[in-house]
Amino acid sequence: MYLTKCAVCATELGLTMGKKCGRCSTRYCGPECQVQHWKEGGHDKLCKLIKKGGGAEQYNANKKYAEAVAVAVEKCADDTKGQTCFICTQALHWKTKEGLVRGCACRGTAGFAHVSCLAEQAKILVAEAEENNLDDNQWHRWHTCSLCEQEYHGVVKCAFGWACWKTYLGRPEGDWARSSAMMMLGNGLSAAGHDEDALSVREAELSIERRHGTSENDILISQTNLANTYQKLGRFEQANSMLRDVYSGWLKFSGEEHSSALIAANNYAASLSSLKRFEEAKSLLRRTIPVARRVLGESDNITLKMRRSYAGSLVMNNGATLDDLREAVTTLEDAERIARRVLGGAHPNACLMAGSLREARETLRAREMLATLPAPRFKVGARVECKVEAKFLEGTVVRHHYRESDWEPGVFAPYQVKLDGRRSGRDLVFAPRDDDRSIRAAGADSDAETI
């Protein structure tokens, strides 16, 4: 990962704290760890090698790149068997001996290549654009396939992140290519599920941009990436606060029709759903999906993601009606068909869409089955005694067919009950069965208790 921790004890150093090896720039929290690394950690043997490899950051990037390429090649091995690189026409790279990958939306015999070949192609195109002062700096070639024009994903994207970072990390800290390469690295680490490493990169990226007075546009992009990493690490409140501010910032900066504002709307809606604020998420997406469909089109990946988020806000909501669930299924059926056609069935977003559709269908079938069952014995508002930890406690029925968002699709409890005398947050329980062993009319037995 980006080197912001002590090489010995992993203490977080940020961008400026601690000290460095005078020869190779390996970072330490202090002289004690530096001495220990030299005497016991093998640094005495590696120091000259690291310096020869361009210093600690470059040496680390080169090593991580090789590891990431090996993982990507292995992951793609079944798909690439018997194929050749569309750039160099060889099965094995002539210099690195690496195998082939394909991490985009190409199908059939198209899109197979070596990461090294694609990275060299991107490096040349960006250099030519810089030399000729072109408005299109060709940076998209670091993350987008030149054949299908879809972004790389998964472990292939991670390998490209390291390829990009090792190419530009030697540039000055405020250089646009170095900043963009750091963002690429964070995106790649996140795509491969290395979220703790991605967090280190994201925080360093935002710190550097603020120190160098980067544009509001770039700050908003970095905040979005950081917030999404918070989200993946389960830091939902922190993510939600930042994503709300980012969405507000994009509306002011570029208006509601800009693709960045639409991405921000979807990210914010997903964050609201993570906090179970489904009504807010649904309201936001109902306003913004028509804009995305009009401006970006039905088959754009952003539009597809927004429609999946909207369906999720319907399915996961405990208060969803049958009409809500039917709308979710209809939405996902249409979006999944488009995603499969545009992205291919193996693309992560198409797979997520298919999974969401299966879950929505299962939930709808279960709810339709519930509708055919006898009516619950107790109406909403009825006074009951509910069995909790081997005791019957008094309370009031507040909901029928209750479910929690992390339950398996189609699983419901007959009742949600609000117990008497408990403080808010601990007063709501559910009865798993509609029988006297779980729930009965208040006063049915003298052993019932109030709290």
Side-chain angles (χ1 to χ4, degrees):
M1 66 179 173
Y2 185 75
L3 297 182
T4 59
K5 296 181 179 180
C6 173
V8 176
C9 66
T11 296
E12 184 62 52
L13 303 176
L15 298 174
T16 58
M17 294 173 61
K19 62 178 299 183
K20 296 180 180 180
C21 171
R23 176 189 286 161
C24 70
S25 297
T26 296
R27 299 187 67 188
Y28 303 99
C29 62
E32 293 82 5
C33 279
Q34 185 174 7
V35 171
Q36 181 184 344
H37 203 213
W38 183 270
K39 291 182 177 180
E40 303 172 14
H43 189 68
D44 57 329
K45 297 180 178 65
L46 286 173
C47 189
K48 288 183 180 180
L49 183 62
I50 294 173
K51 177 178 172 58
K52 186 177 180 180
E57 194 69 68
Q58 187 70 61
Y59 180 84
N60 180 68
N62 292 342
K63 180 181 176 183
K64 292 292 187 179
Y65 165 74
E67 293 171 356
V69 168
V71 170
V73 169
E74 182 179 359
K75 180 74 173 179
C76 298
D78 290 341
D79 191 29
T80 60
K81 188 175 181 179
Q83 304 297 328
T84 58
C85 176
F86 76 86
I87 298 174
C88 74
T89 72
Q90 301 298 311
L92 290 177
H93 191 273
W94 66 276
K95 185 177 181 181
T96 65
K97 305 304 179 185
E98 70 191 64
L100 300 166
V101 300
R102 183 170 69 173
C104 54
C106 285
R107 280 162 273 187
T109 58
F112 299 105
H114 303 112
V115 174
S116 294
C117 289
L118 292 167
E120 186 64 22
Q121 185 182 69
K123 179 181 175 181
I124 291 171
L125 289 171
V126 170
E128 289 178 349
E130 279 189 301
E131 184 177 347
N132 296 303
N133 295 315
L134 299 179
D135 290 336
D136 181 3
N137 62 23
Q138 295 292 310
W139 189 261
H140 57 286
R141 286 297 158 239
W142 278 109
H143 55 74
T144 303
C145 174
S146 61
L147 301 180
C148 68
E149 294 298 332
Q150 295 291 336
E151 287 196 14
Y152 301 110
H153 55 78
V155 292
V156 174
K157 188 170 185 175
C158 183
F160 270 104
W162 282 113
C164 188
W165 176 238
K166 81 183 187 71
T167 300
Y168 298 106
L169 69 85
R171 292 199 179 189
E173 196 175 75
D175 182 86
W176 74 270
R178 187 182 191 276
S179 298
S180 299
M182 188 177 288
M183 181 177 68
M184 276 285 298
L185 176 57
N187 292 345
L189 290 167
S190 182
H194 304 313
D195 297 308
E196 288 289 352
D197 290 345
L199 179 63
S200 176
V201 176
R202 305 293 200 200
E203 291 177 338
E205 177 189 3
L206 184 59
S207 177
I208 290 171
E209 289 181 342
R210 283 173 169 163
R211 189 165 66 249
H212 286 271
T214 305
S215 69
E216 181 67 18
N217 183 351
D218 289 342
I219 291 288
L220 288 171
I221 292 172
S222 295
Q223 287 178 318
T224 299
N225 292 334
L226 178 57
N228 287 338
T229 302
Y230 287 150
Q231 186 90 350
K232 293 181 73 174
L233 290 170
R235 295 160 63 169
F236 299 126
E237 290 288 357
Q238 198 172 0
N240 183 260
S241 177
M242 185 171 285
L243 289 170
R244 181 191 61 231
D245 293 343
V246 166
Y247 177 51
S248 177
W250 277 117
L251 288 178
K252 294 176 183 177
F253 186 75
S254 59
E256 67 172 5
E257 295 189 350
H258 195 277
S259 61
S260 295
L262 293 169
I263 292 172
N266 186 55
N267 289 335
Y268 182 36
S271 176
L272 289 169
S273 291
S274 296
L275 294 170
K276 300 185 179 182
R277 293 160 59 179
F278 300 114
E279 290 299 325
E280 293 176 66
K282 183 169 65 175
S283 177
L284 173 60
L285 289 166
R286 276 183 171 166
R287 293 197 310 270
T288 52
I289 287 175
V291 179
R293 299 174 88 162
R294 184 181 72 251
V295 175
L296 304 176
E298 294 283 358
S299 61
D300 187 87
N301 206 23
I302 298 172
T303 306
L304 293 172
K305 287 182 177 181
M306 294 179 79
R307 296 184 72 190
R308 186 170 71 85
S309 294
Y310 174 68
S313 71
L314 295 173
V315 172
M316 292 186 292
N317 191 346
N318 289 339
T321 65
L322 276 172
D323 286 341
D324 288 335
L325 295 177
R326 290 175 181 133
E327 182 184 2
V329 169
T330 301
T331 298
L332 288 168
E333 285 175 340
D334 184 53
E336 192 271 341
R337 183 176 62 253
I338 296 171
R340 193 165 9 95
R341 173 174 56 81
V342 174
L343 303 174
H347 192 279
N349 291 338
C351 292
L352 286 171
M353 194 76 74
S356 296
L357 177 57
R358 284 193 300 272
E359 181 177 336
R361 283 171 171 167
E362 290 171 2
T363 303
L364 175 59
R365 279 196 295 269
R367 284 292 297 275
E368 287 175 335
M369 180 188 70
L370 283 174
T372 67
L373 297 176
R377 293 182 299 153
F378 305 110
K379 296 181 180 180
V380 172
R383 294 287 298 164
V384 296
E385 296 167 359
C386 189
K387 196 168 189 178
V388 180
E389 298 176 353
K391 294 180 179 180
F392 278 97
L393 305 179
E394 293 188 5
T396 304
V397 174
V398 294
R399 183 181 297 174
H400 291 153
H401 303 144
Y402 171 78
R403 65 173 271 109
E404 296 187 357
S405 58
D406 58 348
W407 289 359
E408 290 293 321
V411 176
F412 295 86
Y415 303 97
Q416 186 182 39
V417 176
K418 185 173 183 179
L419 299 176
D420 297 341
R422 282 194 174 184
R423 67 175 182 270
S424 178
R426 298 189 60 198
D427 55 345
L428 293 173
V429 298
F430 63 86
R433 295 179 302 276
D434 191 5
D435 58 36
D436 284 347
R437 292 173 297 172
S438 296
I439 187 170
R440 63 195 186 189
D445 200 312
S446 60
D447 67 350
E449 300 181 15
T450 56
I451 302 171

